[in-house]
Amino acid sequence: MSFPPPDIGQFDLLEALAGYTGRVGAEPSNLDYAAAAWRVSGADDRPLAILHHDLHGSNLIENARGLVLIDWECAAVSDPLLDVACILSYHDSARPYASLLLQHSGLAEITSRQLAAAVWLFDLHTYLWYRERRLPPGGDRR
């Protein structure tokens, strides 16, 4: 079952990366690389979708009807390739199955270059998110 994405809750990855970069004092040149990777990924050419944005095993539970995806607090509306990138970023063992993941996500036309760019973007986002979490409230950002 799929649902059309709502008009609210859109996640601008480049804006989020800029925010993290400023808050943690990360290298600003990463933003230029991120903008280039976004273009390479082809994200602007795909329709938006509802993303879970935190796909890992502890967010799956089994019930009488099968597996259920839980913990939607990071959910957003963005490029659907980012959820595939999330899986590949979190789980190296999933990389040999990238084409299968893309096919079942309706993204079979994605090139290896586009996928690599999306995974790099997701990795950068995760890295900066964790860096921000390690900062003490009101503490030194560098």
Side-chain angles (χ1 to χ4, degrees), residues 10-132:
Q10 290 189 9
F11 175 68
D12 184 326
L13 180 60
L14 297 178
E15 185 178 298
L17 293 174
Y20 286 131
T21 296
R23 290 189 299 274
V24 304
E27 180 59 45
S29 64
N30 283 334
L31 298 177
D32 294 331
Y33 294 126
W38 185 258
R39 285 189 300 277
V40 167
S41 77
D44 287 332
D45 299 329
R46 281 184 290 281
L48 298 174
I50 299 170
L51 308 183
H52 184 274
H53 208 71
D54 193 23
L55 297 168
H56 56 81
S58 63
N59 282 338
L60 288 170
I61 60 171
E62 190 169 2
N63 70 16
R65 296 186 328 177
L67 289 176
V68 177
L69 191 55
I70 62 169
D71 189 13
W72 286 82
E73 74 180 60
C74 295
V77 174
S78 191
D79 175 24
L81 185 56
L82 289 176
D83 261 355
V84 174
C86 172
I87 294 169
L88 300 177
S89 177
Y90 286 173
H91 307 285
D92 287 336
S93 61
R95 292 191 182 218
Y97 306 98
S99 62
L100 190 60
L101 287 167
L102 290 168
Q103 179 184 352
H104 286 281
S105 300
L107 299 168
E109 75 286 351
I110 297 297
T111 67
S112 59
R113 185 170 183 247
Q114 288 174 304
L115 182 58
V119 171
W120 184 84
L121 284 163
F122 195 89
D123 286 343
L124 178 61
H125 178 260
T126 301
Y127 168 74
L128 292 172
W129 183 81
Y130 274 112
R131 268 194 65 184
E132 182 176 63

